[in-house]
Amino acid sequence: MDLPNPLIVGAGPLGDELDTVRALEDAGAAMLVRRSLYEEEITGEQMDGFRASEAHNGLSAEAETFAPDPETALGPDEYLEQLQAIKAAVAIPVIASLNGSTRGGWLSYAALLEQAGADGLELHIYHAASDMTASAAEVERHAVDIVAVVTGGLGIPVAVKLSPMLTAFANFAKQLDRAGADGLVLFTRFHHVDIDAEELEVVRTLPLSDSSELSLRLRATAALAGRVDASIAVTGGVHTGLDVIKATMAGAHAVQMVSALLRHGPARLRTVRQDVEVWMVEHDWASLGAMRGNMSLERIPDPAAYERANFRMALR
Ligand SMILES: Cc1cc2nc3c(=O)[nH]c(=O)nc-3n(C[C@H](O)[C@H](O)[C@H](O)COP(=O)(O)O)c2cc1C
């Protein structure tokens, strides 16, 4: 997709209110990703047909990632209605996000989202790493299969949002790329889990991020830049104009922001955009395209700078 600037509003609650969506567009957001529609939220009745014919093999994001609380979760009808309302309210592209677990579930709901007017689809893929029955190769094969089925069945661009916890990240990303993913979104951010030792409860929180989360994404983006056909978007830890510059230098085509906008409001997007422009003028960069990937693994003279072997140097 050809965007006027690289600032995308990432999946989450920011698309819930039309006024907020309009304010984000006014502030210069190039695109908006809706919160995920979770296959688990799709009513049992609607999914029974699929579940009966397909094994539920553990690609369930719901349990571990952004499972919306039942109060705010949207059923599929409501999700489609909201998508149409947002499309009618703003001119920027609106991307639907789908988090499913069965092959049939992904495809059938992806098609409904396309019909409802989504300009693109973000597949939020996650496998519970505590599952002892599935090998890394099986998990990857299933995910690649889903991506191939969805991209093959849709006319709109499809991006895949990945978990950072993968054994062979670059290889997996390349498989998704070959399977037809138009975009790779790096990375999902997990709930924090803690144990309340008095109450014997597992406590789940989702604190907002800060720029320190960017490091992991920079490394992964730098590893893929120039080596996949898919566009790359960074999500996680993008808070400032300089964060956008760094992501671009690593090789990102776009960034997604959520925490910064939840913390400071939609107008923050305008500030970040202006900061990017000022930085570029001050440092004589004519375009983001010119700097994109200049710090990627392929293009820096010392690729080992991104690698683990540099512990000793970092500690010096
Ligand atoms: C309250 C909240 C809700 C979120 N809901 C979703 C979601 O439904 N689907 C999804 O893929 N990511 C979801 N995310 C993750 C964000 O899209 C984003 O990847 C993550 O917060 C990292 O970006 P940030 O550092 O800019 O916040 C959510 C994040 C927050 C804070």
Side-chain angles (χ1 to χ4, degrees):
M1 295 174 104
D2 208 5
L3 302 179
N5 73 68
L7 305 186
I8 298 173
V9 181
L14 285 150
D16 288 353
E17 304 289 335
L18 287 185
D19 284 349
T20 310
V21 176
R22 287 194 194 97
L24 288 161
E25 181 179 45
D26 282 352
M31 187 155 87
L32 174 111
V33 186
R34 281 295 288 124
R35 66 162 69 234
S36 299
L37 171 63
Y38 289 81
E39 190 177 304
E40 287 78 355
E41 300 302 333
I42 294 165
T43 62
E45 208 179 300
Q46 287 160 310
M47 283 314 300
D48 274 354
F50 296 118
R51 289 226 165 90
S53 59
E54 300 186 45
H56 190 286
N57 62 3
L59 254 176
S60 166
E62 196 274 340
E64 303 294 329
T65 54
F66 300 106
D69 71 56
E71 308 262 303
T72 56
L74 297 180
D77 293 344
E78 218 178 340
Y79 192 97
L80 294 173
E81 270 168 34
Q82 263 204 14
L83 185 67
Q84 284 164 337
I86 296 173
K87 282 292 298 168
V90 291
I92 54 173
V94 180
I95 306 297
S97 167
L98 183 60
N99 181 310
S101 46
T102 63
R103 203 169 182 269
W106 284 95
L107 186 56
S108 79
Y109 283 95
L112 284 179
L113 294 167
E114 180 178 29
Q115 279 161 27
D119 295 290
L121 186 66
E122 189 173 280
L123 300 179
H124 185 191
I125 289 192
Y126 174 74
H127 177 265
S130 51
D131 179 357
M132 284 193 177
T133 62
S135 70
E138 284 165 353
V139 171
E140 290 183 5
R141 204 173 317 117
H142 184 66
V144 170
D145 184 37
I146 285 173
V147 171
V149 166
V150 173
T151 53
L154 293 197
I156 51 176
V158 177
V160 185
K161 186 171 183 176
L162 300 181
S163 149
M165 294 184 200
L166 290 158
T167 307
F169 159 73
N171 176 275
F172 182 52
K174 189 68 194 168
Q175 290 185 58
L176 297 172
D177 188 44
R178 288 205 185 105
D182 300 291
L184 297 171
V185 183
L186 313 177
F187 286 121
T188 291
R189 198 165 156 264
F190 296 110
H191 274 115
H192 289 195
V193 168
D194 200 358
I195 290 178
D196 182 331
E198 302 286 343
E199 300 295 327
L200 296 183
E201 276 175 7
V202 176
V203 182
R204 285 157 43 101
T205 53
L206 186 52
L208 298 180
S209 72
D210 58 44
S211 293
S212 66
E213 305 240 356
L214 195 61
S215 160
L216 188 69
R217 281 84 184 168
L218 293 181
R219 179 192 294 226
T221 301
L224 298 189
R227 301 162 86 192
V228 289
D229 291 331
S231 302
I232 302 172
V234 163
T235 176
V238 178
H239 287 255
T240 66
L242 191 55
D243 292 338
V244 179
I245 299 286
K246 290 178 189 174
T248 309
M249 288 187 168
H253 299 85
V255 298
Q256 297 189 355
M257 297 173 67
V258 175
S259 290
L261 302 176
L262 287 174
R263 192 176 283 138
H264 301 288
R268 183 67 168 200
L269 203 136
R270 183 178 291 111
T271 310
V272 169
R273 189 175 160 189
Q274 285 164 350
D275 288 350
V276 170
E277 285 166 6
V278 168
W279 195 95
M280 287 174 67
V281 170
E282 283 175 1
H283 294 80
D284 283 335
W285 284 101
S287 71
L288 289 173
M291 77 169 71
R292 181 167 302 119
N294 70 333
M295 294 300 293
S296 66
L297 210 66
E298 281 207 328
R299 288 179 45 197
I300 57 169
D302 175 22
Y306 282 110
E307 299 298 330
R308 191 173 59 127
N310 273 37
F311 267 139
R312 271 190 310 145
M313 278 174 64
L315 290 172
R316 230 180 254 161

